[in-house]
């Protein structure tokens, strides 16, 4: 069971989403290019976003996931979202996903810092064995970003995600396992993607 927790680096904060984030969350995600590989833009209208956030809160109440807003600490503005979910307690595995980042902050420090904080928490605090990160087969930008932070490509899962209209997508599956985390962590710090990261955890 996952519990609400706040994770911070020097540059960003991952904060569990609440309805108080509604307006800024909607603004951060209301860009058509962010949802190119989705059927609809869940941040296009405030009421659609409200329903989405309500679902996330309900899921967090059950302990099945933690949905975060990503806050840029320099401006104190929401610049995206990410999530820990699909928890397999028996095999000590989970997925990082449902990630979006506002176009202005794509290819910046935001994604690498967010992934660093989540991976550090999952492997070093929760003591999990495996993290999966998935994306649409055709989302090459996302696939490159996952590989850049150390995700190992495992293959294409054919027709494994069903959309609202009944169509299916093929999913590119990446993973990081606990044996690899020390090297992944060192590489993130060495390459400067997460240089000078000091992480903080609070309940």
């Amino acid at each position: 069971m996952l519990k609400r927790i706040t994770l911070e680096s020097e540059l960003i904060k991952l904060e569990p989403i609440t309805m108080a984030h509604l307006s800024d969350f909607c603004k951060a995600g209301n860009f058509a290019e962010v949802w190119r590989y989705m059927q609809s833009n869940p941040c296009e209208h405030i009421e659609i976003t409200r329903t989405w956030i309500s679902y996330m809160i309900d899921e967090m109440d059950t302990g099945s996931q933690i949905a975060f807003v990503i806050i840029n600490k320099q401006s104190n503005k929401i610049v995206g979202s990410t999530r820990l979910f699909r928890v397999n307690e028996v095999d000590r595995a989970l997925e990082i996903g449902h990630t979006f980042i506002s176009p202005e902050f794509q290819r910046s420090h935001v994604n690498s810092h967010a992934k660093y904080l989540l991976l550090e928490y999952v492997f070093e605090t929760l003591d999990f064995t495996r993290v999966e990160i998935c994306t649409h087969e055709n989302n090459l930008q996302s696939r490159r970003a996952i590989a850049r932070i150390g995700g190992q490509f495992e293959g294409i899962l054919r027709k494994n995600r069903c959309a609202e209209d009944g169509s299916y997508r093929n999913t590119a599956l990446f993973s990081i396992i606990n044996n690899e985390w020390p090297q992944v962590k060192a590489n993130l710090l060495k390459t400067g993607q997460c240089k000078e990261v000091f992480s903080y955890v609070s309940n």
Side-chain angles (χ1 to χ4, degrees):
M1 179 178 288
L2 296 173
K3 298 180 180 180
R4 289 174 171 84
I5 195 159
T6 297
L7 305 171
E8 300 183 52
S9 73
E10 290 289 290
L11 299 179
I12 70 164
K13 179 191 291 187
L14 302 182
E15 187 173 281
I17 196 166
T18 70
M19 205 56 76
H21 295 123
L22 174 61
S23 179
D24 288 343
F25 180 87
C26 191
K27 291 175 184 175
N30 192 14
F31 298 90
E33 60 266 40
V34 168
W35 309 104
R36 178 181 174 188
Y37 295 98
M38 302 286 288
Q39 287 196 329
S40 59
N41 174 356
C43 293
E44 187 173 8
H45 301 293
I46 198 80
E47 291 308 316
I48 297 173
T49 310
R50 187 191 306 275
T51 300
W52 192 28
I53 292 177
S54 179
Y55 166 77
M56 294 184 222
I57 292 171
D58 288 345
E59 290 293 297
M60 285 195 288
D61 288 342
T62 70
S64 62
Q65 64 175 252
I66 314 175
F68 300 94
V69 292
I70 305 172
I71 298 172
N72 177 33
K73 293 174 75 170
Q74 292 176 316
S75 63
N76 203 34
K77 297 292 186 182
I78 294 174
V79 296
S81 179
T82 192
R83 205 176 306 187
L84 298 176
F85 67 119
R86 292 201 174 96
V87 181
N88 180 341
E89 292 279 5
V90 174
D91 297 319
R92 307 301 291 165
L94 56 68
E95 185 173 335
I96 293 174
H98 293 298
T99 302
F100 78 80
I101 297 171
S102 300
E104 179 184 355
F105 289 91
Q106 292 177 9
R107 299 183 180 88
S108 73
H109 64 276
V110 170
N111 183 58
S112 53
H113 273 240
K115 291 297 193 299
Y116 182 100
L117 290 171
L118 293 174
L119 290 166
E120 183 182 56
Y121 177 64
V122 170
F123 287 125
E124 298 184 18
T125 299
L126 298 182
D127 195 29
F128 270 45
T129 299
R130 173 181 169 90
V131 170
E132 294 183 353
I133 310 174
C134 299
T135 191
H136 193 289
E137 175 185 26
N138 298 326
N139 191 342
L140 299 182
Q141 179 179 330
S142 180
R143 289 176 64 169
R144 285 192 292 267
I146 296 168
R148 201 159 47 239
I149 61 101
Q152 297 296 307
F153 178 62
E154 293 192 346
I156 301 297
L157 304 178
R158 299 180 300 162
K159 285 192 172 183
N160 83 307
R161 300 280 169 92
C162 185
E164 293 177 2
D165 67 353
S167 64
Y168 283 82
R169 84 170 199 188
N170 293 342
T171 296
L173 171 64
F174 294 77
S175 71
I176 299 172
I177 58 176
N178 57 344
N179 312 61
E180 298 164 346
W181 168 237
Q183 189 60 55
V184 169
K185 181 177 183 178
N187 288 344
L188 284 170
L189 294 172
K190 183 178 179 180
T191 60
Q193 293 184 63
C194 292
K195 189 176 181 181
E196 301 297 331
V197 170
F198 299 95
S199 56
Y200 311 90
V201 178
S202 59
N203 292 319

